[in-house]
Amino acid sequence: MTPTEGYTRLGIRSHAKGTFHSYVEKGKELETAKMFRVASDKFIVNITFGWEHAVAITDENDAGKLVSHRFPQYSFNAGMIPKFFRYLILDKKFKHHLELSSPGGAGRNRVLKLSDMLEYKMNFPCEEEQRKIAAYFDDLDHLITLHQRKPIPHPDHPTIHTKHKGEEKYVRIRVNDREKTNRTANLRRFPVDIPRRFKDGGGSVGEFQIYSGAE
């Protein structure tokens, strides 16, 4: 499609930090012959900044937004859970592969070669385990987001925050001990309730480590 009345476009943040949206007013449309509509639950990449890890997994909030040909989308095969791959694409080895697949000089001259990118091999668990791991990370991210929000103190009950050295806690998760997922989250001053099936290794799910202090 070629929009002429303004539209909402989708962009991808570098370092696999998700998508963002911006409105393009009428008369300021991109000078391109065709735009493409984004669908949810797709792997999407910005080929201009693929070398800078500009990749994401789309969701329902991204659906319907428009992108140019520089933002190809890929569907997942049966048995692959998009929410799980939202965390798997954070892998440093995948980022390195994107760099190697983007020949050329600096900046916009380093266009990602899609055929090379698709040569990357990923190991991942079965569908059921993908769902469990994705759900756990979603809950963890939600907990971190709630903790990072600044409280609004009641005028009669002022809030005082203190921070002590060595008080920070982290959780590191490794799936099947194959480095498929190795994510560290700063949990600062609140307990982490890890289900026993995960904490004890959970069969093939993996291991969890909680410790204090800087990484």
Side-chain angles (χ1 to χ4, degrees):
M1 63 177 297
T2 305
T4 58
E5 298 297 326
Y7 62 93
T8 300
R9 66 183 174 189
L10 177 141
I12 305 175
R13 295 185 175 90
S14 296
H15 312 297
K17 292 186 177 180
T19 62
F20 64 92
H21 310 143
S22 58
Y23 184 73
V24 180
E25 298 178 355
K26 180 179 179 180
K28 296 183 179 180
E29 294 87 357
L30 292 177
E31 296 181 358
T32 182
K34 191 175 183 180
M35 300 289 287
F36 300 87
R37 197 174 297 279
V38 174
S40 61
D41 295 332
K42 304 289 185 182
F43 171 77
I44 189 169
V45 56
N46 180 345
I47 63 174
T48 306
F49 291 100
W51 60 273
E52 203 172 45
H53 211 182
V55 296
I57 307 298
T58 61
D59 59 23
E60 60 275 8
N61 295 318
D62 300 317
K65 309 303 185 293
L66 299 184
V67 293
S68 71
H69 68 283
R70 292 182 175 274
F71 293 77
Q73 305 173 65
Y74 295 88
S75 300
F76 290 94
N77 293 328
M80 301 172 71
I81 308 304
K83 285 188 176 181
F84 170 78
F85 282 86
R86 183 186 307 163
Y87 300 103
L88 193 57
I89 62 175
L90 299 174
D91 184 54
K92 291 182 179 179
K93 291 182 180 179
F94 181 51
K95 177 183 178 182
H96 182 62
H97 179 75
L98 293 174
E99 293 174 351
L100 295 178
S101 302
S102 305
R108 296 181 180 272
N109 293 326
R110 296 189 63 180
V111 177
L112 177 65
K113 190 175 180 180
L114 297 175
S115 59
D116 287 354
M117 178 193 73
L118 295 175
E119 291 294 322
Y120 187 75
K121 305 296 183 182
M122 284 184 172
N123 295 317
F124 50 89
C126 67
E127 183 176 349
E128 181 182 359
E129 290 186 353
Q130 289 179 53
R131 293 186 186 279
K132 291 178 181 179
I133 295 167
Y136 181 82
F137 278 135
D138 284 345
D139 291 343
L140 184 61
D141 282 346
H142 179 65
L143 190 62
I144 293 172
T145 300
L146 290 177
H147 179 71
Q148 289 177 339
R149 289 178 179 173
K150 293 183 179 180
I152 302 177
H154 189 279
D156 298 329
H157 302 282
T159 301
I160 300 176
H161 293 277
T162 60
K163 181 178 178 181
H164 303 285
K165 185 177 181 180
E167 196 172 39
E168 298 175 348
K169 290 184 178 297
Y170 303 83
V171 57
R172 171 176 289 149
I173 302 173
R174 186 184 301 276
V175 181
N176 283 352
D177 208 19
R178 300 174 190 166
E179 297 186 357
K180 290 191 294 252
T181 302
N182 189 0
R183 177 174 168 83
T184 301
N186 186 343
L187 301 181
R188 292 183 185 176
R189 300 188 64 186
F190 56 85
V192 183
D193 183 15
I194 296 178
R196 185 176 182 81
R197 66 181 184 277
F198 290 127
K199 189 174 182 180
D200 294 340
S204 61
V205 171
E207 63 180 20
F208 289 70
Q209 302 170 349
I210 301 179
Y211 57 96
S212 298
E215 184 180 13

